[in-house]
Amino acid sequence: MIRNSKNKKETERDIVVKVCLGPGGIASGGERVLMAFKEETGKRGIKASFEPNCSVHQVGCMGLCSKDVLVDVLQNGKKTTYQFIKPEMVGRIVEEHIINGRVVEEWTVREDYNAFYGKQMKVVLDACGKIDPEDIEAYILMDGYESARKALTKMTPVEVIEEVKSSGLRGRGGAGFPTGKKWEFCRSQKEETRYFICNADEGDPGAFMDRAIIEGNPHSVIEGMIIGAYAINAKEGYVYIRAEYPLAVKRLGIALGKAREKGFLGKKIFGTDIDFDIKIKLGAGAFVCGEETALIASIEGRRGMPRTRPPFPAQKGLWGKPTVINNVETLANLPLIIKNGAKWYSSIGSDGSKGTKVFALTGKIKNTGLIEVPMGISLKEIIYDIAGGIEKDRTFKAVQTGGPSGGCIPSSMIDLKVDYETLAKAGSIMGSGGMIVLDETDCMVAIAKFFLEFTQKESCGKCPPCRIGTKRMLEILERITAGNGKEEDLALLEELGGKVKVTSLCGLGQSAPNPVLSTIKYFRDEYEEHIKNKKCPAKVCNALITFSILESCNGCGACRIACPAVAITGEKKKLHRIYQDLCIKCGACFEVCKFSAVEKL
């Protein structure tokens, strides 16, 4: 009989169905797919005598988001992954695959799946997409909380810190500061009251790494916080997370509650004399609150604005007490380091950048999603092996790493190794892990303007270099993309960018010019084309585009009907015309023409 069971360890005869209910899976209808599997297996179990158990449950992000809804069926030790699953497809999968053992081949992920995962190395994401994030027993079956138990009962705080230092783990939030050294610095403070904070305020456009970890395996983050709090002797912790991430907040809240029930949080955890508990603090979505001191101000109930350092948070942080702040991915590494040892972890990655890195891989690629790769892997391997290359077989132009504070790396540097030092030398940063791939249809000036618009808007306004400097830089970029650029603008942008970087108060302002400076460095000819010839080579900047109708026009009238400015005239079956003084450059005519009779110059 087929049963919808959970909280049990599966045998080889069991059949396990896992439905992706990460944000991509939910957006694609994953909840309805999950319900369809439960209904179908329940119905079949009543009608047929079928011995193995069938467990149907939700999991977090499986990674290959472009193929959602993804469904894994595990049977006889073999995993089959289905893509683009809809509720109406479930009955056939249950009938043919689960009951009769015949895989529905035309619905499976094959070549793309193998390529996408072939060069990845799942460490932090190992359990994401495998376990139900709301089921603590599923995490425990994967040795969950055993690392925290080991640290608290068999290791001293100093031994824990030394293990983390020896591993080479660096903060995954952007700056890459050695995690063990930060803990050691905090523990050395004389003040006895200390706090431990998880920074889950992930606000980069296109970034969803930390959110996916919490949504897919929140217990790994909680366990990491327990280990860190023990190391610095903190009794109280906070997870600072955006209120606009309701799924992550929900699953984190459930996980905290179940951890308390098990005695992993609260008083005398793991049967020791150690007390530690965690509170959730919801952020309002200010990008600047990803900066440590602004985050602390927000938790304290003040406006999220950074302050000068020193003193550093490890000296004087939350409520004026020594405080360690680590981001989600950093914390999720800790249980694995304690479990497998520093030597194991330091064997992964490059000389100065140990371990793996999780990236949100997006942009003009065939396979978008959440990936985890060893430090030191090349951009080429990520873009062409894992991501499957550029969509529509267009030409790769650049990759933007590190979110709005990162830089754009040109195609000529595609063999670049992905680690902290190498990216910094190229004028970019690792950041928290955003990676956006650009192709020939992207305008690098417009890209720089897009990211600067974001950072300028998100500036807290406290320091003049960031508040005023980014505004002046944005005004120059707006002038260039509007066709009013001047030849001296590039030198002015470089001068302003350099001064904003070295004089801004916090990391937001110090890194805000990166997209502009890197695109000027590697794509100067594109800026010059905008300024000197008043042309946008990628045909993106509306003010520099001209739409015209070719002689091949058959007078179908589609462009005339679509034009919101009534700038197109013409009789049926006769050549139409665009009045340029009325044209608002919206591109509607270009989009609707089925005969390639509208030219975009």
Side-chain angles (χ1 to χ4, degrees), residues 349-530:
S350 60
D351 290 341
S353 302
K354 301 299 183 182
T356 61
K357 182 71 189 78
V358 179
F359 288 99
L361 186 58
T362 60
K364 306 296 181 63
I365 45 177
K366 294 177 181 177
N367 298 324
T368 59
L370 190 72
I371 68 169
E372 184 175 4
V373 293
M375 291 280 198
I377 192 172
S378 70
L379 287 171
K380 185 176 183 179
E381 290 173 287
I382 293 175
I383 295 168
Y384 282 96
D385 294 336
I386 296 174
I390 309 303
E391 63 180 357
K392 299 181 181 179
D393 294 321
R394 289 175 174 153
T395 302
F396 167 60
K397 188 172 190 177
V399 59
Q400 204 268 354
T401 69
S405 301
C408 294
I409 300 169
S411 58
S412 60
M413 300 175 70
I414 195 170
D415 292 317
L416 197 75
K417 300 298 181 183
V418 179
D419 59 35
Y420 289 102
E421 289 76 19
T422 308
L423 289 178
K425 288 178 182 177
S428 189
I429 59 173
M430 181 79 70
S432 58
M435 186 174 287
I436 304 172
V437 180
L438 310 171
D439 70 9
E440 63 194 68
T441 64
D442 288 301
C443 170
M444 302 312 296
V445 185
I447 290 292
K449 184 179 77 169
F450 169 80
F451 284 114
L452 195 62
E453 282 175 342
F454 178 84
T455 49
Q456 204 284 318
K457 180 181 178 181
E458 293 292 337
S459 171
C460 75
K462 184 174 183 178
C463 72
C466 180
R467 182 181 70 246
I468 302 172
T470 57
K471 180 64 175 177
R472 297 290 87 84
M473 290 180 72
L474 180 58
E475 288 172 348
I476 296 170
L477 289 176
E478 289 173 338
R479 189 167 70 234
I480 292 172
T481 55
N484 300 315
K486 305 173 183 177
E487 290 192 25
E488 58 268 27
D489 281 344
L490 294 185
L492 184 55
L493 279 171
E494 290 176 317
E495 181 184 2
L496 274 172
K499 289 182 177 178
V500 170
K501 281 176 69 73
V502 299
T503 58
S504 290
L505 177 61
C506 80
L508 188 153
Q510 292 163 9
S511 58
N514 284 341
V516 181
L517 297 178
S518 63
T519 50
I520 291 176
K521 179 179 180 180
Y522 296 120
F523 300 94
R524 196 178 191 92
D525 58 333
E526 207 159 313
Y527 278 87
E528 291 174 344
E529 187 73 7
H530 280 70

Side-chain angles (χ1 to χ4, degrees), residues 89-106:
M89 302 163 70
V90 170
R92 183 181 172 191
I93 294 174
V94 172
E95 176 68 27
E96 295 187 19
H97 188 167
I98 294 176
I99 293 180
N100 295 309
R102 297 193 304 269
V103 175
V104 186
E105 294 289 350
E106 63 265 37

Side-chain angles (χ1 to χ4, degrees), residues 322-335:
T323 304
V324 162
I325 303 175
N326 290 134
N327 91 316
V328 169
E329 186 183 343
T330 308
L331 293 168
N333 273 290
L334 293 169

